[in-house]
Amino acid sequence: MSAVGSAHITLLAPLAGWSTPLEEAPDAVFAGRMLGEGLAIDPTAGTLYAPCDARIIVLPASRHAVTLRTKEGCEILLHVGLETVALAGAGFEAHVREGQQVRAGDRLLSFDLDFLAQRAPSLLTPIIVMAESGFRIVRCSLDRELAVGEFLMEVERLHEHSTVASAATAAQSGPAASASSASGVVSARAAGASIPAGVTRRLTVTFEHGLHARPAALLTASLKNLAAEVRIASRGREANARSTTAIMALGVRRGEVIEIHASGPDAAAAVRALSAALEHAAAAPRLPAASLAHATAPASATGAPALAGALTAAGSTAGAGAATLKGVVASPGMAVGTAVQLQRPEIDIRENGAGIEEETAALDWARSALRARLERRADVAADNEAEETARGIAAAHLALLDDPELVAAARALIARGKSAAFAWRSALRRSAEALSALPDERFRERVADLIDLESQMLVALAGGSVAAAAPQLPAAAIVIARELLPSQLSALDPTRLAGICMAAGGPTSHAAIIAAAIGVPALVALGPEVLGVEDGTPLLLDAALGILEIAPPEARIVAARAQLDARRAWRATLEAAARRDCRTADGVRIAVFANIGSQAEAQAAVRNGAEGCGLLRTEFLFLDRQLPPEEAEQREVYARIAVALGERPLTIRTLDAGGDKPIAYLPLPPEDNPALGLRGVRTSLAWPQLLRTQLRAVLGIHSPHCRLLLPMITDVEEIDAVRALLEEERRALGQRAPLALGVMIETPAAALLAERITAAADFVSIGTNDLTQYTLAMDRGHPQLAPRLDALHPAVLRLIARTAEAAEAHGRHAAVCGGLASEVLAAPLLVGLGIHELSAVPAVIPELKARISGLDSGQCRALAQQALAADSAAAVRRLLADPAALPPDSGDGL
Ligand code: PEP
Ligand code: MG
């Protein structure tokens, strides 16, 4: 009854209750889909049934969850409630055992609903189609009451051999294969024969509940950007470390020793990543909210804090962990420090005014005082990313301050007898409410700017300033607030600010952007519990995994500080090495440039060893404003960026508007298919005055290192049309030297016409983001297709190879400036395909250069030939992970 065809499976509701989206589950591992897609059921009865015919592959001793595998290979996790592993089986009864075959509708577990309701933070029961098993949800029954056995969802296989599990099985042919169990766990001895030499580390798991779903998901996630083959062995059994199910099926308990074995190009990095993730998972048990108050009492209160619940070298002692909260990463990094709660200044305001004239005058005076302050901030010549961000935010606040609707609404309230403060606050809150109701999160996050402006105005009306009200921070302060306002954050002493935690807020709020700009790690959406943390409590903020540890044991803090120091030292070594020009080990020159979008990023690029800018995205100058930037404004910005780059090349891309980057002041028609509509060079040619202004601005900086790049080209006529305008403007300006005009290869049309296009252009740079979107016919913003939108698809690689060959035939080198250039894993392949210039995000440049300097170009070419002959992107990724196909990395990329 469950199979609808070879790869289509129907799942029936395994328990009665209300079905909701996974986002409703207050747990980042589930809501963030770290394990896979699915939904959650809020149960109304305490029995869990099999949703389809399948085998039970994981049933932990805590009996709080069951993982099944269908005969087609689809793995489904049914996880009753959240944090229920902590109940250690209390309240649960199992009716099946691991390895048992069940039929749809068979009883799996019973649980005591009332008991769980009192002890678990949520009863929401996630039903997850495990991503690694290679199935996707076709349709599902959401937001409705379900009875047991009703239709829940239909899933289908993504494509053959696309999964980690299948890769692992394939790798274990012969005797190992016969040893593999239903869960993906194999006998270590049997599998051992096929394990290539690599890096091994033994560790003791001290995590309170062993390796259950959450730590397993964190472990697999930690390996996401690494290519090594990694296995975890315990008690003579072994699992692929990229398979959550297989890790869970090992059934590793607290105190047991596991062995991590990695092989492949970045084996050392993989073992490090896995160890760090294990350490975090171990040290970060989530506690039900109710127990937080108790847990946040400083661990030293007893004089003998429990030892870290961390993963330690085999044989050392284990202990209880600290309370932790999970949030959303707004600015990456790690911090160790002490808690400082920051409240918004409470300002008492009168509702009734002292007279229309008096209140109007007060409003006008406060607006001009605030305007003067904001203008000073917006006019500062920004020398770094932080100042540039502050400038932009001040400019946005200025626009709001003069918003005619807001001002008119405030004046109308004053006319009705209200005070200036009351009127201003009411007007802003009305707008904030309207914004909050919009479906787009980015608009909702602008609400914080309105509240910020409200608070700055109220302070101004009361005769003060936000800066004056800012608290003195202790050293290494981790500031906690419900939602930090940009002005509050800017007023804090950055030298004492180690990290930021917000109970609410979003990752694209202005406060988050400032935090990232000043390099302070920040987590948002931690929930109201964080507001209960007492001032002075030691904190460990991990803004890589999104975890805040409250009052962690001293040993944990010492380990984290050591980790921070080690990370800084490693980074410094790479950065020092990155100052040199980049060559492969056998001497082939590969230029490594940076993609940037501002002057601050240009500075960051130089610091990171960029040899130039391969892509300046000029959109930042054109978006979020009422009118296009004038020639002088553009010229000034481009000139500042050129100065920041010194003698290095600067590649300025003309406006790439339209599509997913709409511009308010252009009458762009609504598009049925924005990605296929008026965007890139098409927009520029449709508004030639806009293009001419930009061309004049670029010519106006008189830089011999500057060149121009055109986005979204599909044929030679577009190049000729832009060149004609460029030449006209150049002659009009009386300039002699022509500007080099390059083309982005980001449509299949351009790649297929590469011979003609490279003849017409002065240089070419491959935009793999769009080239992948258009080649695979997958929208680059599509959430469900995101995992398959892979630039390593052989079809994309063939277009890259073709472009590189065409460029060589004209005596030129092709560059890659799309996201693939920032994937260190792909560097050998791109070198092998004949690419001689990569333009990457600044932060990755040191690692990229280190990787390239260890490569042999002949081996890269052989690797590229194999990749071009591959059947899928997954096959190419497997190839890149295969140590036999690739020269091994030295471990740290040096
Ligand atoms: C690309 O498409 O690869 C590219 C670099 O351009 P963007 O990401 O700005 O569209
Ligand atoms: Mg593009």
Side-chain angles (χ1 to χ4, degrees):
M1 90 189 257
S2 63
V4 179
S6 63
H8 274 249
I9 304 160
T10 297
L11 304 187
L12 308 177
L15 75 176
W18 185 266
S19 69
T20 73
L22 219 42
E23 287 79 14
E24 300 288 314
D27 184 308
V29 167
F30 292 116
R33 293 171 163 69
M34 287 176 75
L35 293 161
E37 290 289 337
L39 50 73
I41 296 182
D42 199 359
T44 49
T47 311
L48 183 76
Y49 298 90
C52 56
D53 298 353
R55 185 178 298 281
I56 310 288
I57 56 168
V58 186
L59 177 58
S62 45
R63 303 184 290 274
H64 69 291
V66 183
T67 310
L68 308 101
R69 184 186 294 146
T70 68
K71 68 176 174 8
E72 297 84 1
C74 176
E75 292 173 4
I76 306 131
L77 169 69
L78 314 173
H79 194 284
V80 179
L82 299 177
E83 313 286 350
T84 40
V85 63
L87 300 176
F92 287 98
E93 187 188 347
H95 306 294
V96 286
R97 56 187 156 66
E98 248 177 36
Q100 185 179 332
Q101 181 69 37
V102 292
R103 306 289 307 260
D106 283 356
R107 210 158 53 123
L108 303 178
L109 301 177
S110 303
F111 50 93
D112 183 335
L113 212 51
D114 292 337
F115 178 84
L116 262 58
Q118 282 163 20
R119 284 166 179 79
S122 170
L123 285 175
L124 275 183
T125 295
I127 315 289
I128 309 287
V129 177
M130 301 294 274
E132 62 206 29
S133 69
F135 281 73
R136 69 175 196 103
I137 299 175
V138 184
R139 61 198 174 98
C140 64
S141 207
L142 263 186
D143 294 320
R144 51 172 300 231
E145 187 78 43
L146 290 172
V148 172
E150 272 189 68
F151 171 82
L152 181 71
M153 62 175 82
E154 182 186 338
V155 299
E156 71 172 8
R157 196 197 305 281
L158 275 173
H159 46 79
E160 293 294 333
H161 307 304
S162 65
T163 70
V164 172
S166 59
T169 315
Q172 289 152 5
S173 54
S178 60
S180 64
S181 77
S183 59
V185 171
V186 296
S187 137
R189 202 161 51 80
S194 64
I195 300 177
V199 182
T200 300
R201 188 176 293 176
R202 278 164 65 79
L203 297 158
T204 303
V205 172
T206 56
F207 183 60
E208 207 178 344
H209 306 297
L211 295 184
H212 65 99
R214 178 175 302 103
L218 293 174
L219 296 192
T220 51
S222 75
L223 297 173
K224 213 166 166 199
N225 295 322
L226 296 164
E229 185 185 337
V230 192
R231 296 187 182 159
I232 296 177
S234 165
R235 281 182 280 148
R237 301 194 315 151
E238 194 178 80
N240 182 338
R242 293 177 191 275
S243 164
T244 330
T245 319
I247 295 174
M248 287 194 287
L250 280 175
V252 176
R253 296 182 189 198
R254 179 179 176 178
E256 287 186 338
V257 174
I258 59 166
E259 188 171 289
I260 304 171
H261 182 93
S263 56
D266 43 18
V271 169
R272 271 199 307 275
L274 204 62
S275 307
L278 269 162
E279 192 174 331
H280 287 300
R286 279 181 52 129
L287 295 184
S291 58
L292 185 71
H294 162 72
T296 51
S300 57
T302 60
L307 278 173
L311 192 93
T312 51
S316 60
T317 326
T324 66
L325 295 173
K326 192 92 179 86
V328 174
V329 176
S331 168
M334 190 190 224
V336 179
T338 49
V340 176
Q341 291 281 353
L342 203 66
Q343 260 110 37
R344 293 218 187 117
E346 271 304 321
I347 298 169
D348 284 337
I349 57 169
R350 291 173 289 117
E351 177 170 350
N352 292 328
I356 299 178
E357 252 177 52
E358 205 172 310
E359 297 298 338
T360 306
L363 180 73
D364 289 347
W365 178 85
R367 280 182 57 225
S368 50
L370 184 53
R371 184 179 303 109
R373 211 173 295 149
L374 290 171
E375 275 171 355
R376 272 199 302 280
R377 231 180 286 156
D379 282 347
V380 159
D383 269 348
N384 54 45
E385 193 177 346
E387 282 173 5
E388 199 159 291
T389 306
R391 251 169 70 124
I393 293 171
H397 286 185
L398 268 173
L400 283 176
L401 187 70
D402 289 331
D403 186 299
E405 302 248 325
L406 279 178
V407 176
R411 286 197 197 293
L413 283 164
I414 290 176
R416 281 171 34 207
K418 305 297 178 192
S419 73
F422 183 88
W424 183 254
R425 192 176 70 179
S426 308
L428 258 84
R429 292 208 171 164
R430 218 173 290 158
S431 286
E433 262 168 43
L435 276 185
S436 306
L438 293 174
D440 188 326
E441 196 167 327
R442 281 165 303 178
F443 286 115
R444 291 205 303 271
E445 286 176 4
R446 296 285 81 80
V447 169
D449 289 313
L450 284 172
I451 296 171
D452 197 358
L453 200 65
E454 171 192 316
S455 138
Q456 292 183 72
M457 266 292 275
L458 295 188
V459 171
L461 277 164
S465 80
V466 175
Q472 290 292 319
L473 295 180
I478 297 190
V479 163
I480 303 174
R482 206 190 80 74
E483 193 170 356
L484 207 57
L485 299 176
S487 61
Q488 273 183 302
L489 176 49
S490 305
L492 296 174
D493 178 355
T495 61
R496 302 187 148 254
L497 184 63
I500 295 167
C501 298
M502 297 192 220
T508 61
S509 65
H510 271 149
I513 293 169
I514 300 179
I518 58 179
V520 173
L523 293 181
V524 296
L526 280 155
E529 293 90 347
V530 75
L531 301 176
V533 176
E534 279 179 29
D535 278 353
T537 307
L539 298 176
L540 202 165
L541 187 158
D542 184 339
L545 292 176
I547 290 168
L548 176 69
E549 296 179 33
I550 300 159
E554 186 57 26
R556 175 88 188 100
I557 291 184
V558 171
R561 286 215 176 99
Q563 204 179 331
L564 270 174
D565 290 345
R567 230 185 257 184
R568 267 186 225 118
W570 179 69
R571 186 74 202 172
T573 317
L574 285 188
E575 279 174 14
R579 291 198 197 107
R580 297 192 289 269
D581 280 354
C582 183
R583 291 181 188 281
T584 61
D586 57 330
V588 177
R589 177 82 172 95
I590 309 287
V592 180
F593 285 8
N595 292 349
I596 58 175
S598 67
Q599 183 194 358
E601 282 180 20
Q603 289 159 338
V606 172
R607 273 199 309 278
N608 280 292
E611 298 166 52
C613 159
L615 171 64
L616 171 66
R617 289 183 164 101
T618 56
E619 294 79 74
F620 74 101
L621 260 171
F622 292 79
L623 302 171
D624 292 331
R625 52 193 295 162
Q626 311 295 323
L627 290 169
E630 306 265 346
E631 181 184 329
E633 181 186 345
Q634 290 191 51
R635 190 172 53 236
E636 196 192 321
V637 173
Y638 302 149
R640 274 202 252 121
I641 290 174
V643 169
L645 289 172
E647 306 273 279
R648 299 170 185 84
L650 164 60
T651 313
I652 301 181
R653 179 171 77 181
T654 57
L655 176 63
D656 187 16
D660 59 342
K661 302 169 195 162
I663 287 198
Y665 47 85
L666 285 184
L668 289 164
E671 304 262 17
D672 284 343
N673 295 302
L676 305 182
L678 208 53
R679 60 161 296 198
V681 76
R682 301 170 191 176
T683 315
S684 295
L685 288 171
W687 279 273
Q689 280 317 322
L690 198 67
L691 176 61
R692 279 181 188 274
T693 306
Q694 189 169 30
L695 296 178
R696 278 198 303 274
V698 175
L699 288 164
I701 67 171
H702 299 285
S703 166
H705 310 294
C706 181
R707 51 188 195 170
L708 209 59
L709 184 63
L710 305 177
M712 278 294 288
I713 289 288
T714 49
D715 64 27
V716 173
E717 278 179 19
E718 289 165 327
I719 309 170
D720 292 344
V722 177
R723 201 187 284 281
L725 294 179
L726 180 64
E727 285 306 290
E728 266 179 43
E729 294 300 336
R730 181 175 68 87
R731 277 195 293 272
L733 289 170
Q735 291 187 4
R736 261 189 276 156
L739 200 62
L741 185 64
V743 162
M744 289 191 76
I745 303 291
E746 46 186 356
T747 63
L752 293 169
L753 270 190
E755 294 80 5
R756 305 298 316 132
I757 284 187
T758 41
D762 298 318
F763 64 99
V764 290
S765 185
I766 303 169
T768 50
N769 307 337
D770 278 316
L771 187 59
T772 308
Q773 148 165 279
Y774 295 122
T775 305
L776 304 185
M778 290 180 189
D779 191 324
R780 61 194 266 191
H782 198 295
Q784 263 169 302
L785 295 176
R788 296 175 57 201
L789 195 79
D790 193 338
L792 288 178
H793 193 291
V796 181
L797 299 181
R798 285 177 189 221
L799 293 177
I800 296 175
R802 189 188 171 104
T803 305
E805 268 168 38
E808 293 292 333
H810 288 92
R812 304 203 176 113
H813 285 327
V816 171
C817 65
L820 193 60
S822 299
E823 271 203 58
V824 177
L825 175 81
L829 185 51
L830 292 176
V831 169
L833 288 171
I835 299 299
H836 287 262
E837 180 191 309
L838 298 175
S839 193
V841 294
V844 86
I845 288 174
E847 208 179 329
L848 194 57
K849 282 184 144 183
R851 179 72 182 116
I852 292 169
S853 61
L855 295 173
D856 174 88
S857 62
Q859 284 175 311
C860 291
R861 276 193 297 278
L863 175 80
Q865 287 315 310
Q866 290 181 46
L868 289 171
D871 290 338
S872 65
V876 176
R877 287 203 178 267
R878 281 198 292 277
L879 176 70
L880 293 180
D882 180 359
L886 199 66
D889 195 356
S890 61
D892 284 338
L894 278 175

